[in-house]
Every structure is written in structure tokens, then in C-alpha cells.
Amino acid sequence: LNRDERAGDSEIQAIAPVPNMWPTPGAAQFLGGLKPATLDNWRSLGRGPRYVKLGGRVFYEREELERFVAANTHESTASSA
């Protein structure tokens, strides 16, 4: 990570309630730069990574984001026969 990325991550951690939990913008950044609205939409559709809601704010645990990425990792677009 470069200096700016480390600073951004520490800013995200500073506003999260516990270590390794990120608010929606930080989670979207972790997931490859998705727009936070994408995660909002997925939540309303019952898709996307599991989340925690505290005081009206939504947070994502790093482990849940990693699980979500792993579950959506594919070898190819070809279907197995």
C-alpha cells in the first residue's frame, strides 16, 4: 500500500465501531471500487455480503467481504457439462 492508501484505511478504521469493520464506502472500496450505492442496492435485494447495522449505520466485517469475494470467484465463464 502506498502512503495515501494507508492513511485512507486508518481513517476508515477510526470511524468503525470495532477493528476490521468498515462503513459502506470503505467496503465498496475493498470490493474493487464499487459505488456505495451498489452495496445499498444489493442489501435491499438480499444480495451481497453480510453486514452489521449499528445506530442506523451499516458496517461490513473484513472477513465477510473476503468470503463474499471468494464465493463469487470463478475460473471461467464456460459452464461445466
Side-chain angles (χ1 to χ4, degrees):
L1 295 176
N2 66 36
R3 184 172 181 249
D4 292 336
E5 289 171 326
R6 283 192 305 266
D9 191 41
S10 63
E11 289 171 13
I12 291 168
Q13 289 294 326
I15 59 174
V18 296
N20 293 318
M21 288 187 74
W22 296 331
T24 301
Q29 182 180 8
F30 179 88
L31 291 172
L34 294 175
K35 293 183 180 180
T38 300
L39 288 175
D40 296 341
N41 186 37
W42 287 352
R43 271 195 320 277
S44 71
L45 296 173
R47 299 176 46 190
R50 292 175 53 179
Y51 62 95
V52 174
K53 193 164 188 178
L54 297 170
R57 295 186 64 199
V58 175
F59 297 90
Y60 293 87
E61 294 181 81
R62 181 184 181 105
E63 293 80 17
E64 290 297 334
L65 297 173
E66 290 170 347
R67 265 191 281 273
F68 180 75
V69 168
N72 288 283
T73 300
H74 305 279
E75 291 290 325
S76 72
T77 58
S79 49
S80 53

